[in-house]
Amino acid sequence: MDINSIGTDSSKPTHKHFFFSCPDDPAETLAVIIPEQLHASYGMYTWPCAPVLAWYLWSQRPELVGKHIIELGAGTSLPGVVAAKCGANVTLSDCSRFTKCLKIVEQVL
């Protein structure tokens, strides 16, 4: 999904679907659905670097089990959600003005 497919109504929420798999074991997969809403603060926008970092974390998943990770400025929290689903103890943080971000992410986890 690119930014053009979201539409022009920035108040209407959308969801991005991310799928992670392992070529060596097709049964080992992870699907994450991230709610997203474009607005002036961009607190609920999945930046293009987030899927790249999330994919890297997925590729390192055996090393994440039991690790303590903090995601600063988490926003939609895709990397943090992936790390948590891979067994890490994750703390998500964001600006105190963006409480909606972390409340929505609680639903994803």
Side-chain angles (χ1 to χ4, degrees):
M1 172 183 280
D2 65 22
I3 197 162
N4 296 322
S5 66
I6 294 171
T8 58
D9 184 0
S10 64
S11 64
K12 184 179 179 184
T14 186
H15 292 82
K16 282 192 177 178
H17 299 254
F18 298 92
F19 300 96
F20 303 90
S21 62
C22 177
D24 298 335
D25 184 1
E28 192 170 355
T29 62
L30 175 64
V32 179
I33 301 171
I34 298 290
E36 185 174 77
Q37 185 173 0
L38 294 179
H39 51 79
S41 69
Y42 289 105
M44 291 303 301
Y45 173 72
T46 305
W47 292 96
C49 58
V52 175
L53 178 56
W55 185 258
Y56 174 77
L57 291 168
W58 170 256
S59 73
Q60 302 298 311
R61 63 193 171 283
E63 305 299 321
L64 296 178
V65 177
K67 296 284 197 261
H68 295 277
I69 296 173
I70 184 166
E71 185 176 357
L72 302 173
T76 60
S77 306
L78 177 62
V81 168
V82 170
K85 299 234 180 225
C86 291
N89 299 305
V90 177
T91 300
L92 303 171
S93 70
D94 209 314
C95 177
S96 62
R97 295 185 323 239
F98 302 140
T99 56
K100 182 179 179 181
C101 295
L102 297 179
K103 285 179 184 177
I104 290 174
V105 170
E106 285 177 347
Q107 298 169 6
V108 175
L109 288 173

